[in-house]
Amino acid sequence: MDDMAFFRELVTGLNRGLLMSVMLIIPSALGGLIIGIVAGALRAFGNSLVIRIGDGYAALFRGTPLVVQLFVLYFGLPNVGIYLTPYWAAVTGFMLCSGAYQSEYVRGALLSIKRNQYLGAQALGFTRLQTIFWVIIPQAMRRALPGCGNEIIYLIKYSSLAYIVTFMELTGEGKTIATEYFRFTEVFLVIGFYYLILVSVAKIILRKTEKALEVPGFGSV
Amino acid sequence: MSRSEPILKVENITKSFGSAEILKGVGLELPKGAIKILIGPSGGGKSTLLQCLNCLVTPDSGTIWFNGGVVNIQKSKELYAFRQQVGMIFQDFNLFDHLTALDNIIIALCKVKKMSKQQARERAMTELDQVGLGDKGHLYPAELSGGQKQRVAIARALAMDPKVLLLDEPTSALDPELVGEVVAVIRSLAHKGMTMIMATHQISLIRNLADEILFMKDGLIAERGTPDELLGKGCGTLSQGFCDKLNEIAGEES
C-alpha cells in the first residue's frame, strides 16, 4: 500500500522533472552549439584581439566549476541589478559552459581542414568568407560532430545541477521524494535509469545526424 | 607566332619566405593562345611563381597586367574578379572533399559566378562530358582515381571560362598508368587554343606542346626559348641536360 503510493508519487514526480530537464537540455544544447561554432570560428580565424577574447572566454568557462558559474548567475547577478529566473539562470550557465567546450571541438575541426581546400576555393575566385562558409565549415562540421555530440551527452548529465539554483528538474524532483520517503537508493537508481534513456535518445539522434551528413572519405562508418 | 597583346604579363616578381629568397625578379608574357612550360629543379621557384600569377601567394613586389590593365592586388574585389578569370590546376587536385564531382563545379558557378542552380548544373554536366566523366558526376573525390580527380579539377576550372590556365605539375601526383588520360585532356585544351602556363616534368608535354620553355633555377628564369632552340641535339643547354635526365628516368620506368 505504502509502496504503491511511493511509486505513484515517484513516477509522477520524475516524469514532471523529466519534462523540465528536456526543456533545459534542448535550448542549452542548441545555444551551446551555436556559441561554440561562433566562438570556435572566431578563435580559429579571427585577428589577434578576437582570438584573445575567445581564448579568455574558453579559459574562464572551462576553468571554473559549473556550480560556481550557476551561483554567480543566480545569486551574484542580482547584486548588480540583473535578476534571472532559476530556469534562465540555469539555461544561461549551461549554454556558456557548453559553448566553451564546443568551441574547442569546433576550433580543432576547423584547423584540421587542409590548406589545399582553401587554395582550391581561392583559385576559383571565392572570397575569404565564401571559402570559410561553403568549403571549410561544411567539412569541419563533419569532423567536429562526434566531439560535439559527446559534449551534448555530457550536458544532459550536468543539467542536474540546475536544482542548485532551485530549478526543479529530474534530479531535484527525485531528491525531494527520496528525502520525503527516506528511500535514496531506489530513487537514485530510477533517476539513473531516466538519464540513461535521455542519453540513449540523444545518441540515436546524433547517430542519425552523422549518417545524414556522411560523405565518402570523411571517416565515419 | 602572332604578336598580339599579352593576356597576362608580369614584371619583376619577387617573393621571400623568411630569409629564403624564392623569386628574385621574374618577368614573363603570355600572348593569347600561347603555351609556356616551366621546367627546372625542385625549389627553383616554379610553384611559387605560378601561385604569384594569381596571387594565391602575394608577391613582395612586381606588377601584374591582365587584359591590358594593371591588377591592383590590394583591392580584394579586384583580386577576386581577377582570379575568376585565371584558372588553376594543382598537383594534388584540391577538389572539395565534401562535394560530389558535379557539385564541385556547381558550387563555384553558383557562388562565384552567381549562376542559377539549373544553369550551373547544365554547364557542369557539359564540362564533365568534355573530360570524359559525364557518368561520374555523382561520385565523391574519395571515390575517384587520381586521374579522374584531376580531370574533374580541370572541368571545374574550365567551367569558370578562364582566359588563362595555370597548371602546377598536373600529372606529378598520378600513378604512371593514369598520366595518359590527363595528358590527353591537356592536349585537347591546347588544340582548342587555351592560353596556358604549366610547370611539368612530363617530357611528352614539354616537347610537343610548348611554344616556349622557361627554365627556372634559383628564383630566376635561367633560359628561355622554343623547344627546338633549347632541346635540339647537342645545344648543351641547362634545359637539354634536365630533359635528358627526365628521359633517362622515363626510360628506366618503361
Side-chain angles (χ1 to χ4, degrees):
Chain A
M1 209 46 207
D2 205 23
D3 270 358
M4 278 301 286
F6 164 67
F7 277 114
R8 198 174 303 129
E9 193 174 340
L10 181 64
V11 169
T12 22
L14 290 189
N15 285 350
R16 192 168 55 228
L18 178 69
L19 189 67
M20 292 296 123
S21 282
V22 170
M23 281 171 59
L24 273 178
I25 291 163
I26 290 176
S28 301
L30 291 177
L33 201 58
I34 291 167
I35 293 176
I37 291 171
V38 173
L42 291 176
R43 292 176 68 200
F45 300 123
N47 62 30
S48 61
L49 177 72
V50 170
I51 290 176
R52 209 166 310 161
I53 294 172
D55 285 353
Y57 156 70
L60 185 66
F61 282 88
R62 290 198 305 153
T64 56
L66 180 56
V67 188
V68 175
Q69 293 163 22
L70 292 175
F71 262 83
V72 170
L73 285 168
Y74 188 62
F75 298 107
L77 286 186
N79 293 322
V80 291
I82 300 170
Y83 295 88
L84 296 178
T85 62
Y87 175 74
W88 281 109
V91 169
T92 310
F94 294 159
M95 280 199 301
L96 288 171
C97 178
S98 181
Y101 284 96
Q102 297 285 26
S103 79
E104 278 294 294
Y105 295 115
V106 172
R107 188 174 70 96
L110 287 170
L111 294 178
S112 79
I113 304 304
K114 278 179 287 172
R115 191 176 128 76
N116 71 19
Q117 299 288 307
Y118 290 89
L119 290 180
Q122 299 279 290
L124 289 164
F126 279 69
T127 66
R128 189 173 145 82
L129 215 59
Q130 282 176 327
T131 307
I132 291 173
F133 204 78
W134 294 108
V135 178
I136 307 306
I137 288 182
Q139 296 189 20
M141 196 170 72
R142 293 175 166 88
R143 294 249 165 91
L145 204 59
C148 291
N150 187 41
E151 175 56 28
I152 287 171
I153 282 173
Y154 199 46
L155 164 72
I156 291 174
K157 287 178 288 172
Y158 64 64
S159 73
S160 66
L161 286 176
Y163 88 89
I164 285 181
V165 291
T166 75
F167 184 76
M168 290 303 277
E169 44 61 78
L170 192 50
T171 310
E173 290 281 1
K175 207 168 170 234
T176 313
I177 299 164
T179 316
E180 188 184 326
Y181 287 86
F182 207 71
R183 293 172 78 162
F184 284 91
T185 316
E186 289 137 298
V187 171
F188 275 88
L189 275 176
V190 179
I191 292 177
F193 183 68
Y194 270 71
Y195 278 106
L196 190 63
I197 290 172
L198 270 178
V199 169
S200 304
V201 171
K203 243 169 61 183
I204 291 168
I205 295 173
L206 287 165
R207 190 48 62 80
K208 283 242 158 74
T209 316
E210 269 182 56
K211 266 263 175 299
L213 292 174
E214 193 176 282
V215 158
F218 263 87
S220 55
V221 184
Chain B
M1 214 193 286
S2 69
R3 292 274 83 200
S4 57
E5 180 76 3
I7 291 188
L8 183 66
K9 182 170 112 176
V10 295
E11 239 169 43
N12 205 26
I13 297 279
T14 65
K15 180 70 194 178
S16 301
F17 292 110
S19 60
E21 220 182 334
I22 307 296
L23 296 176
K24 301 172 181 167
V26 177
L28 59 86
E29 286 185 15
L30 266 179
K32 188 167 168 41
I35 299 176
K36 307 228 168 181
I37 296 206
L38 291 168
I39 60 172
S42 310
K46 302 186 298 289
S47 276
T48 309
L49 174 62
L50 285 175
Q51 298 202 348
C52 280
L53 290 183
N54 66 350
C55 298
L56 285 187
V57 169
T58 314
D60 294 337
S61 66
T63 318
I64 302 174
W65 281 268
F66 184 70
N67 251 347
V70 174
V71 182
N72 182 351
I73 59 171
Q74 305 303 327
K75 276 207 187 124
S76 35
K77 225 177 173 177
E78 205 171 307
L79 180 60
Y80 296 137
F82 167 57
R83 282 191 186 140
Q84 252 187 71
Q85 304 180 68
V86 179
M88 185 154 203
I89 303 301
F90 299 87
Q91 184 174 347
D92 46 4
F93 330 123
N94 296 9
L95 292 180
F96 304 136
D97 294 331
H98 66 298
L99 296 175
T100 61
L102 197 59
D103 284 337
N104 257 278
I105 305 172
I106 291 175
I107 197 170
L109 292 173
C110 285
K111 301 307 166 196
V112 179
K113 290 214 141 183
K114 313 286 179 204
M115 255 188 208
S116 75
K117 187 105 195 204
Q118 186 54 38
Q119 264 182 308
R121 171 171 293 273
E122 280 165 20
R123 181 65 202 266
M125 276 312 298
T126 313
E127 293 299 338
L128 279 182
D129 277 333
Q130 290 282 320
V131 296
L133 292 173
D135 57 335
K136 298 279 192 282
H138 62 289
L139 294 177
Y140 286 91
E143 299 168 314
L144 296 170
S145 75
Q148 291 170 335
K149 278 190 250 193
Q150 194 60 295
R151 287 190 280 156
V152 174
I154 293 173
R156 184 175 70 171
L158 292 179
M160 306 298 288
D161 292 319
K163 304 241 173 10
V164 178
L165 210 51
L166 316 174
L167 301 99
D168 189 0
E169 305 208 16
T171 58
S172 299
L174 301 177
D175 291 336
E177 78 270 23
L178 302 178
V179 168
E181 60 190 71
V182 173
V183 167
V185 169
I186 295 172
R187 269 181 207 285
S188 79
L189 284 180
H191 291 137
K192 285 178 197 152
M194 175 60 78
T195 311
M196 295 192 268
I197 176 162
M198 165 161 53
T200 185
H201 291 156
Q202 194 63 41
I203 199 79
S204 58
L205 288 175
I206 302 172
R207 255 180 213 287
N208 303 330
L209 287 187
D211 295 325
E212 189 181 39
I213 293 174
L214 308 171
F215 187 94
M216 279 195 80
K217 197 179 163 220
D218 300 327
L220 287 169
I221 295 175
E223 282 177 2
R224 60 172 86 197
T226 62
D228 288 341
E229 286 163 12
L230 295 182
L231 303 179
K233 276 265 173 279
C235 39
T237 56
L238 291 169
S239 306
Q240 200 199 19
F242 187 76
C243 287
D244 282 349
K245 263 187 225 157
L246 293 180
N247 272 330
E248 257 171 54
I249 296 164
E252 275 165 23
E253 268 175 9
S254 60

